Structure formats: C-alpha cells, structure tokens
Amino acid sequence: MFKQFPLILGERQIELMTGSGVVPPLITGFNSLLEMAQKETAVVNIDSIEKTADGKLKTKLKVTSLVGHYLPSGVGFRRVFLEFKVLDKDGNLLWASGRTNELGAILDGTTDKVLPSEQPVKFPEAPFQPHYQVITSGDQVQIYQETIKNSAGQLTTSFLRRVNKVKDNRIRPKGFDPAFFAMNPSPFVQELAEIPGQAKFDPHYTDPNLTGSDNIEYLVAMNKEMLDRVDSVSVTLYNQSIPPFYLQQRFRDANRG
C-alpha cells in the first residue's frame, strides 16, 4: 500500500540523510520481508504420494514451523493456509483445496464459488473450517488460525466481546508442552495449555516431541480416468495478514455508524 500511494501515506521518495543513490528503505524492507517469508517461516514437505487400489490419491504432507512462537502470531484474524492442487501432465487442474480468487477469498475446490465460511456477513451461521488431520473434499481447507465467538455466539474478529475461543490450531513452537503450562499457578499462563477445537486430538499439538510441525493427509477419491491423468501435485503455504472475512466485518461495522 505504501508503494502504491507513497505521497498520500507520507512515505519519503528520497532517503533523508544521503539524498539519493541508495535503495529506498521501503523496498529494502519489502525484500527483507519476502526473504523471511520464503526462508525463515515454515517448510512444507511432501512425504509420500500414492494411488490406492480403491481409486484414491493419497498424499501426506508435513508443515514445519521455523519460528519460535505460534504460526501465525499476533492478532487473531491473521491466518496461514494450505493450497493443495492435483495436476495432469499439461498442468491442468484436476482437484484442489485452498485455492483463492483475486480478493484472496478461499474457493470451493476447482470452482470459482467462494466458500460460505469466507463470508461471515452473508452467511453468519456457516460453520468455520475446523482443524483437519485428513482432508477428503475440495471444500475442506487446512487453515491455521485462532477463531473466537462473541457473547452472542457469533464468530467475530473484533477485539470486543471476545468470549469463547472455538479453534486455535496455530502451529505451536518446537517443544511446546501444554502440560508444563497447565501446572503453572497463574491462570494467564494456564491458558496456554488450552487447545480448543479439533486440534486437541492431534498429537502435534500435545506431544512436545512432535510440536512445531503438523502432518496432514489428502485423500482424494477419483474415477479411474481422472486418476490415470494425475501427473503431479502442488502445495503452497500462504499467509494472510488481512483476510477478506475480516474486511467484510469491518465494512459492516462502519456502515452502522
């Protein structure tokens, strides 16, 4: 945004002390951010791919965090999610989970239909995406995030009326042990031991020998013709600092004024 609108936002075009001849700080910062995101944030490995006898494509992935805190960290509306695509030899899309449109909203499989869980204002009763250990359909997406309900039982991204945490599958740092925090006499520290939602059934969130990573399996049912066309899979881990659903709720709040 600062690169697009530097004058409006007050970003200097010429370095203050030297006048010229140096890379603008904004560009230096941007390049540093890209390097950190690509090399110092997380690693995604495809552990195995196989075509099963009962007509399924089974792919096992491992996401390993490289940071010493929750991934993602900071404000709760940030999220990290996996895009998984199955391709033929010409690069044509056969199956997908976690694709997005030009606005960054997650789509239903190979379609251009935005998932209801991405539209809380339009579909307030739509269920959120839980933590998955196995994904079997294109409308299921592995999203690492904190999800909160307010006092009215509605999902919220506001900092007000935060009452019930219903999901927190942000990847824990390596060696994270919820039992250690549960023994602390401080209730604020004990909160770190709480693992709401389906993540509490995943050993990668409870076993300190496994924390710091997450294993997930994609089990895709296909007919024989489509299974024979499968040539490769593509996996990308994306981060969204300002997801579309957060903006939808802010625009709704602004219109109430």
Side-chain angles (χ1 to χ4, degrees), residues 4 7 13 44 48 50 67 90 117 180 195 207 232 246:
Q4 288 180 285
L7 298 180
Q13 300 301 288
V44 181
S48 65
E50 65 173 301
V67 300
D90 297 318
S117 55
F180 171 80
I195 306 175
D207 185 342
S232 62
Y246 172 82

Side-chain angles (χ1 to χ4, degrees), residues 92-250:
N92 297 311
L93 187 64
L94 301 177
W95 192 92
S97 161
R99 290 173 58 246
T100 57
N101 62 13
E102 66 277 5
L103 298 177
I106 299 178
L107 304 174
D108 185 349
T110 59
T111 74
D112 293 329
K113 180 181 177 182
V114 177
L115 289 171
S117 55
E118 294 287 283
Q119 307 174 76
V121 174
K122 186 176 181 180
F123 302 106
E125 303 302 321
F128 59 88
Q129 294 283 339
H131 174 73
Y132 295 100
Q133 295 188 61
V134 179
I135 282 181
T136 59
S137 65
D139 61 353
Q140 299 174 340
V141 185
Q142 186 71 315
I143 305 176
Y144 301 105
Q145 62 183 163
E146 177 189 59
T147 303
I148 305 286
K149 286 188 175 181
N150 60 22
S151 55
Q154 300 170 327
L155 293 174
T156 182
T157 54
S158 171
F159 294 128
L160 305 176
R161 302 170 64 198
R162 290 165 52 95
V163 175
N164 184 23
K165 186 185 293 188
V166 293
K167 173 188 176 184
D168 188 355
N169 70 331
R170 294 175 294 174
I171 299 179
R172 275 41 174 180
K174 183 178 180 180
F176 180 90
D177 185 359
F180 171 80
F181 298 105
M183 295 186 297
N184 194 288
S186 169
F188 299 103
V189 176
Q190 289 176 9
E191 288 183 7
L192 294 172
E194 299 176 2
I195 306 175
Q198 296 300 309
K200 63 176 170 286
F201 303 114
D202 188 335
H204 286 80
Y205 289 80
T206 58
D207 185 342
N209 295 311
L210 297 176
T211 51
S213 63
D214 181 42
N215 284 5
I216 181 169
E217 179 178 294
Y218 288 81
L219 194 59
V220 182
M222 294 180 166
N223 58 46
K224 185 179 185 306
E225 179 184 358
M226 184 170 289
L227 194 61
D228 289 340
R229 291 176 57 194
V230 172
D231 179 74
S232 62
V233 299
S234 169
V235 186
T236 306
L237 187 69
Y238 284 105
N239 173 78
Q240 281 185 335
S241 297
I242 309 177
F245 64 83
Y246 172 82
L247 294 177
Q248 292 171 28
Q249 292 190 334
R250 298 294 77 73

Side-chain angles (χ1 to χ4, degrees), residues 36-51:
M36 180 180 66
Q38 294 170 350
K39 300 178 181 180
E40 301 176 10
T41 302
V43 175
V44 181
N45 293 108
I46 300 175
D47 289 340
S48 65
I49 306 174
E50 65 173 301
K51 297 178 181 179

